[in-house]
């Protein structure tokens, strides 16, 4: 048997260890929101990485929510291909009154499934990758290129733990984001949220309304709420226009939506509303950028405002993005365009085919992940992880053990295979 065959058999034989590791990850309660609860789990991950030959560092993204990055330098670092494995350690929230069959943080093994908060999104992906790295380490199979393991926080609440890793300069010839993809190889569309504000510099009492809107009232002013209604209407028209004019292979038509998700305005019943703010959530296609989409929306809304008798002198203002839904009420998930011709994507697809016995499926995620930050940073990336999206965030979140095992084999083979090839000469 080759070294690789031995290792793949070991995953079957030591499946109970893999499940035990996943159970340990699940037992750390890391839902976001509320977040700020990952320090214990991150310390566990950091120790685990150190135990299998990684140099690590950690830093607080927010107090109580540190990122951990481990680096294992290859024996031929710089000469052979490097790999980033990225996963988020926070999980979806558990709400009061959810009808779980078991404690969501005490993983249950039943009928070929594991059940618990985060098994599909995405502690399964993290457990499999850590276990694969452990087996490679124990087997003493040297890695020629570098492997970087990023355990990040805040993904569930739009906090850009992965952006911070990119900003710190971590880079590689390929990044695999092991988030929920049902073992499809995926890119993704992007999301940006923004606030649109309509504001009057004057504040009028409710008793002035007659003079604002009736013949001979002679008072020029407006309700910011009523003006915002025009903007909401305009955004709906733009959304329909996008549905008709934009498309991307693998994305359902019209998935580039503009959702008016939150509206806030007015003081109380004795005033004409002098300010109104609208929070919008914009989905765009993998071949677009958030900068470009935000600019298009601003231009369109400003066009509508300029045609309005009052708004032309009180143009709406825009604030886009943010790095936390908790702290700033704003987020960006950049898009990731999957490059099916990239050697890393091709090799991962081949290994998936060989090990699972099924052809790899390349498509577009129906959601957003940290994969976009790699696209944004110019690092070739692919989303590939166990678990189905319909189970992520769900009550009795589940993951097929067979799929977890297949994934662990593929990721092990990929780590070894990819780092055993020389970099393309520059
Ligand atoms: Zn996820």
């Amino acid at each position: 048997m080759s070294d690789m065959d031995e290792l793949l058999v070991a995953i079957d034989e030591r499946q109970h260890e893999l499940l035990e590791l996943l159970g340990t990850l699940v037992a750390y309660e890391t839902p976001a929101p509320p977040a700020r609860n990952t320090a214990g789990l991150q310390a566990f991950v950091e120790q685990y990485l150190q135990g299998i030959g990684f140099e690590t560092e950690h830093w607080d993204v927010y107090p109580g929510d540190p990122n951990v990055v481990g680096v294992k330098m290859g024996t031929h670092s710089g000469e052979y291909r490097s790999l980033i494995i990225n996963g988020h350690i926070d999980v979806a929230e558990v709400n009061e009154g959810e009808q779980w069959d078991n404690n969501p943080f005490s993983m249950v093994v039943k009928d070929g499934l594991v059940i618990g908060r985060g098994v599909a999104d995405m502690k399964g992906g993290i457990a499999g990758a850590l276990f694969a790295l452990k087996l490679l380490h124990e087997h003493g199979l040297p890695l020629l290129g570098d492997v970087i393991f990023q355990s990040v926080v805040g993904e569930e609440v739009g906090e850009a733990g992965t952006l911070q890793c990119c900003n710190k300069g971590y880079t590689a010839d390929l990044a695999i984001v092991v988030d929920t993809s049902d073992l499809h190889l995926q890119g993704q569309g992007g999301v940006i949220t923004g606030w649109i504000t309509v504001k009057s510099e004057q504040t009028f009492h409710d008793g002035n309304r007659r003079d604002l809107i009736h013949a001979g009232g002679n008072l020029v002013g407006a309700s910011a709420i009523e003006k915002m209604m025009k903007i909401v209407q305009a955004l709906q028209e733009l959304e329909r226009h996008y549905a008709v004019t934009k498309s991307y292979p693998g994305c359902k038509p019209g998935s580039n939506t503009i959702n008016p998700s939150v509206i806030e305005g007015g003081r109380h019943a004795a005033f004409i509303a002098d300010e109104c703010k609208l929070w919008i959530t914009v989905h765009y296609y993998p071949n677009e950028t958030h900068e470009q989409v935000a600019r298009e929306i601003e231009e369109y809304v400003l066009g509508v405002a300029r045609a309005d008798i009052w708004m032309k002198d009180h143009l709406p203002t825009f604030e886009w993005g943010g790095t936390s839904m908790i702290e700033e009420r704003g987020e960006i998930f950049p898009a990731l365009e999957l490059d099916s011709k990239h050697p890393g994507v091709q090799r991962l697809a081949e290994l998936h085919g060989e090990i699972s016995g099924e052809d790899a499926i390349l498509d577009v995620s129906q959601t957003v992940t940290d994969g976009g930050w790699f696209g944004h940073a110019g690092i070739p990336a692919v989303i590939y992880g166990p678990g189905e999206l319909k189970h992520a965030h769900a009550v009795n979140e589940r993951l097929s053990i067979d799929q977890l095992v297949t994934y662990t084999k593929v990721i092990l083979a990929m780590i070894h295979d990819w780092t055993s090839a020389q970099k393309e000469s520059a």
Side-chain angles (χ1 to χ4, degrees), residues 88 121-122 155-156 179-180 369:
H88 66 85
D121 184 13
M122 54 165 289
E155 196 265 358
E156 296 291 355
D179 211 339
T180 324
T369 74

Side-chain angles (χ1 to χ4, degrees), residues 26 31 131 138-139 163 183 202 221 251 261 274 321 332 394 415:
V26 170
F131 193 61
E138 286 178 357
H139 199 274
L163 172 62
L183 301 193
Q202 279 173 290
C251 290
S261 39
D274 56 351
I332 301 174
I415 293 165

Side-chain angles (χ1 to χ4, degrees), residues 342-422:
H342 187 273
V345 174
Q346 290 187 339
R347 195 63 196 123
L348 181 60
E350 283 163 13
L351 289 169
H352 174 89
E354 286 166 22
I355 289 168
S356 73
E358 284 166 28
D359 286 345
I361 298 170
L362 278 65
D363 60 10
V364 183
S365 174
Q366 297 299 311
T367 185
V368 286
T369 74
D370 274 348
W373 289 117
F374 294 106
H376 195 255
I379 300 170
V382 52
I383 305 161
Y384 178 82
E388 293 179 58
L389 207 53
K390 68 175 181 225
H391 297 140
H393 298 217
V395 171
N396 295 323
E397 181 173 343
R398 66 197 50 204
L399 170 66
S400 144
I401 294 171
D402 278 350
Q403 192 180 67
L404 174 64
V405 167
T406 300
Y407 155 78
T408 304
K409 289 177 180 175
V410 174
I411 204 81
L412 187 151
M414 183 65 186
I415 293 165
H416 183 258
D417 191 278
W418 179 252
T419 57
S420 297
Q422 266 181 303

Side-chain angles (χ1 to χ4, degrees), residues 40-119:
L41 177 49
Q42 290 291 55
F44 172 85
V45 171
E46 186 162 21
Q47 267 185 354
Y48 193 98
L49 289 168
Q50 287 168 354
I52 55 174
F54 279 74
E55 298 267 345
T56 63
E57 73 158 326
H58 65 260
W59 70 94
D60 271 352
V61 177
Y62 291 97
D65 273 340
N67 270 352
V68 169
V69 178
V71 179
K72 194 172 201 177
M73 297 284 269
T75 54
H76 293 64
S77 175
E79 227 180 289
Y80 281 69
R81 284 169 172 165
S82 54
L83 178 66
I84 288 172
I85 298 171
N86 170 286
H88 66 85
I89 209 79
D90 57 316
V91 299
E93 64 191 305
V94 176
N95 288 303
E96 196 91 28
E98 283 185 6
Q99 299 295 310
W100 286 72
D101 295 340
N102 302 89
N103 175 353
F105 300 104
S106 175
M107 191 181 83
V108 172
V109 180
K110 198 171 122 188
D111 305 330
L113 301 169
V114 284
I115 301 164
R117 173 52 88 222
V119 291

Side-chain angles (χ1 to χ4, degrees), residues 72-337:
K72 194 172 201 177
M73 297 284 269
T75 54
H76 293 64
S77 175
E79 227 180 289
Y80 281 69
R81 284 169 172 165
S82 54
L83 178 66
I84 288 172
I85 298 171
N86 170 286
H88 66 85
I89 209 79
D90 57 316
V91 299
E93 64 191 305
V94 176
N95 288 303
E96 196 91 28
E98 283 185 6
Q99 299 295 310
W100 286 72
D101 295 340
N102 302 89
N103 175 353
F105 300 104
S106 175
M107 191 181 83
V108 172
V109 180
K110 198 171 122 188
D111 305 330
L113 301 169
V114 284
I115 301 164
R117 173 52 88 222
V119 291
D121 184 13
M122 54 165 289
K123 287 177 172 174
I126 289 179
L130 286 175
F131 193 61
L133 288 165
K134 181 188 166 102
L135 291 182
L136 283 163
H137 178 75
E138 286 178 357
H139 199 274
L141 210 57
L143 298 174
L144 305 183
D146 303 343
V147 176
I148 299 166
F149 191 94
Q150 301 176 339
S151 179
V152 304
V153 296
E155 196 265 358
E156 296 291 355
V157 283
E159 289 176 349
T162 297
L163 172 62
Q164 290 199 4
C165 294
C166 294
N167 287 346
K168 269 185 172 261
Y170 286 109
T171 186
D173 299 304
L174 179 71
I176 305 177
V177 176
V178 290
D179 211 339
T180 324
S181 82
D182 201 18
L183 301 193
H184 295 196
L185 283 70
Q186 295 186 320
Q188 68 180 34
V191 169
I192 183 166
T193 74
W195 286 91
I196 303 175
T197 303
V198 174
K199 194 171 167 54
S200 163
E201 75 280 8
Q202 279 173 290
T203 307
F204 297 107
H205 190 271
D206 158 71
N208 293 122
R209 183 163 172 87
R210 198 206 72 86
D211 300 326
L212 286 174
I213 64 172
H214 280 292
N218 219 11
L219 193 57
V220 176
S223 158
I225 291 176
E226 287 169 333
K227 293 304 176 187
M228 187 61 89
M229 286 163 62
K230 272 199 175 178
I231 292 176
V232 171
Q233 191 75 45
L235 290 169
Q236 207 173 68
E237 282 170 1
L238 185 61
E239 181 184 49
R240 283 185 194 156
H241 179 70
Y242 280 171
V244 172
T245 56
K246 294 186 183 187
S247 62
Y248 188 86
C251 290
K252 288 186 181 134
S255 43
N256 48 349
T257 49
I258 305 173
N259 174 25
S261 39
V262 174
I263 191 160
E264 294 174 352
R267 293 169 181 255
H268 66 66
F271 289 93
I272 307 287
D274 56 351
E275 187 176 60
C276 187
K277 293 170 94 67
L278 179 72
W279 197 3
I280 60 173
T281 310
V282 182
H283 288 254
Y284 56 93
Y285 286 133
N287 57 348
E288 298 181 288
T289 67
H290 60 85
E291 292 92 345
Q292 167 197 341
V293 170
R295 200 165 51 240
E296 281 176 20
I297 291 175
E298 281 194 24
E299 273 169 20
Y300 187 70
V301 169
L302 287 172
V304 169
R306 285 197 186 96
D308 178 274
I309 200 71
W310 181 83
M311 277 199 286
K312 72 180 171 56
D313 299 318
H314 304 82
L315 290 175
T317 55
F318 303 84
E319 288 163 84
W320 292 103
T323 54
S324 169
M325 296 293 266
I326 297 175
E327 313 288 338
E328 300 171 42
R329 299 208 298 170
E331 65 176 13
I332 301 174
F333 280 94
L336 172 66
E337 204 164 21

Side-chain angles (χ1 to χ4, degrees), residues 20-37:
E20 200 179 290
L21 173 60
L22 177 53
T24 302
L25 301 185
V26 170
Y28 284 93
E29 301 190 14
T30 59
R36 316 298 174 248
N37 52 17

